[in-house]
Amino acid sequence: EKLFIKRKQVISMLSDIDDFEKPNIAYEQYKSSADLTADLFGLIHENNDVQGKVVADFCAGTGMYAAASQIYQAKEIYAFEIEENALKVLNENIESLGLEVNVKKIDLTKEEEVCPFFNKFDTVIMNPP
């Protein structure tokens, strides 16, 4: 059965995501807003691309999209990040919110690091630098 969740509820749940203390400008680090993420995932959910799917969050940053994927009942969630500070914030958010996310430190520009994941995901979400 398709999940129904109010936008206001999604925003409330996502508002607990911590931001970067010291954003790395070279990686254009910033936290996606909870209301923008709620709107984006509302559209993605309408297209049946999250609930019950294997979802990847590329350039995961704080984990905002990974958290939204869990709210919308993804079957399995992967969060890919390369930058150390972002990985720290991402892991802290996952732990503090009790999320079930597979975090992978990976350089998405290196084919040898990405190849093991080919054809693994139903949906890929990305907010690239």
Side-chain angles (χ1 to χ4, degrees), residues 92-106:
E92 287 171 356
N93 280 327
I94 287 169
E95 185 177 325
S96 70
L97 297 172
L99 303 176
E100 294 180 33
V101 177
N102 301 294
V103 176
K104 304 289 181 187
K105 181 180 181 183
I106 191 169

Side-chain angles (χ1 to χ4, degrees), residues 17 33 102 123 128:
I17 301 282
S33 69
N102 301 294
T123 304

